Amino acid sequence: HARRISSYNMTKMLKILYFTPFYSPQSEAAATRAYWLAKVLSEEGHDVEVLNGSSFFFPTPSNKSSFIHRLIKEVLCGIELSVKILLKRSNLVIISSPPFFTAMLGAQTCVLSKKKFILDVRDLYPEIFFELNLIGSSSMIGKTLRILTGICYRKSKATITVTDGLAKEISNYNAKPLVIMNGYDDEIFYPQEKDSKFDRFTLVFHGNLGRVQNIDTLLKLADELIDTDIDILVAGDGPKVDQITRAGKRNIRYLGAIPYQEIPALLRKCHVGLSFRTDDKIGRDAFPVKVFEYVGCGLPVIITPRCDAGRLIEKESMGREFANDDINHIRNYVLDLYKTKPSFTSPKLFTRRNQAKKIIPLIERT
């Protein structure tokens, strides 16, 4: 390690501050993404200091909080981030968004203090506020947020994001983002022999059960499969848990929140991964991390609505995408999978490490 660093071009070694709302060993997707990006940068010889928002005095708010509570907590977290940016020595700051208001305050602090920064955009704000009718897009607040967001993009040295759909939307702000997908950790997500699967054919739906998850599609599919030998497992927590438990479908078993370390073993025992999201811009532009995790475990994936994730899955012959109202075709595809029980070797292109390595040339140009 010492030899590698000593031979590295010292003029290119950077002191990097990396803000992330969560960090390993936390189970949130942002934590895993930040871990791998920080890891590959450290391996290149850069000095990376992670600013974990969840360990701040004013920590990153939970997505279960109300909009007003999240707003207040994000602003307080952003003020603390701004202070850290000003006080800590650095050549470059990487800021992960969301939390949107925290990231915006951090980015504006970099602009005012003339510090170089990169934005890592995982969800499109403020557009999500407009989609959820939390803020009017034509209101004074909405217009102001768009102006401030545009300033952040234009003043940043670079922007990275997670899907082609998000990249296209961000380009409307005259930015040219680099797509670095999330991927799967191949040290823990890998296929398993077929004889170790559940005896009954099992579909699995796991992760955050929040506003953008389409539980209606899940319940309709359960109705279509009620008289088959096919089970559906649901693991996770969030605002839509009650919708699942109230439905009382006998072929759906709700497992509650599962520790991240136990998710790979659960997925390996299942046969098909499900990812159903709502019919809106959020659903179409997203590439859910659960999809990569299914792929890592060799599970064929069923995705709604039609989106970037679905197109890639179909291109690589790792599953199918459907419209949310296309329940008959989804059912028929499940029954086909039940008969054939296919599996595949997980593509190394989609590992976390290989995706994270895409940031290295970007850092060298900064």
Side-chain angles (χ1 to χ4, degrees), residues 50 65 76 89 97 120 137 142 144 185 190 287 310 312 315 319 356:
V50 174
S65 303
L76 291 174
R89 181 183 64 84
S97 174
D120 178 18
S137 60
T144 301
D185 182 350
Y190 49 83
F287 201 126
L312 180 61
K315 177 183 176 183

Side-chain angles (χ1 to χ4, degrees), residues 163-186:
T163 71
D164 290 332
L166 285 175
K168 183 177 179 180
E169 294 293 334
I170 292 170
S171 68
N172 293 329
Y173 287 95
N174 295 320
K176 295 181 179 179
L178 170 69
V179 175
I180 299 179
M181 294 188 295
N182 282 314
Y184 64 92
D185 182 350
D186 59 342

Side-chain angles (χ1 to χ4, degrees), residues 34-170:
Y35 169 79
W36 282 101
L37 288 171
K39 182 179 178 67
V40 299
L41 289 173
S42 296
E43 290 173 348
E44 286 296 301
H46 299 296
D47 180 6
V48 182
E49 180 179 353
V50 174
L51 305 178
N52 181 356
S54 62
S55 62
F56 279 14
F57 184 80
F58 298 108
T60 305
S62 165
N63 59 12
K64 298 178 184 177
S65 303
S66 68
F67 175 68
I68 296 299
H69 284 141
R70 285 192 68 176
L71 170 62
I72 294 170
K73 291 177 181 179
E74 285 189 19
V75 169
L76 291 174
C77 185
I79 293 171
E80 186 172 350
L81 171 62
S82 297
V83 171
K84 292 179 184 294
I85 289 172
L86 292 173
L87 295 182
K88 290 180 177 289
R89 181 183 64 84
S90 66
N91 306 112
L92 177 69
V93 181
I94 300 177
I95 301 174
S96 180
S97 174
F100 172 69
F101 292 103
T102 302
M104 180 178 292
L105 285 169
Q108 295 294 343
T109 298
C110 290
V111 172
L112 294 174
S113 62
K114 298 183 178 180
K115 286 199 171 189
K116 294 181 180 180
F117 69 100
I118 289 175
L119 290 173
D120 178 18
V121 180
R122 295 174 291 106
D123 284 311
L124 192 65
Y125 285 87
E127 283 74 11
I128 285 180
F129 296 143
F130 307 150
E131 287 283 336
L132 298 177
N133 294 317
L134 296 172
I135 297 174
S137 60
S138 59
S139 68
M140 182 62 69
I141 294 176
K143 292 177 179 178
T144 301
L145 289 179
R146 276 201 166 122
I147 291 171
L148 292 174
T149 300
I151 292 172
C152 291
Y153 284 131
R154 289 191 294 274
K155 293 293 185 179
S156 66
K157 290 298 178 182
T159 301
I160 59 178
T161 191
V162 290
T163 71
D164 290 332
L166 285 175
K168 183 177 179 180
E169 294 293 334
I170 292 170

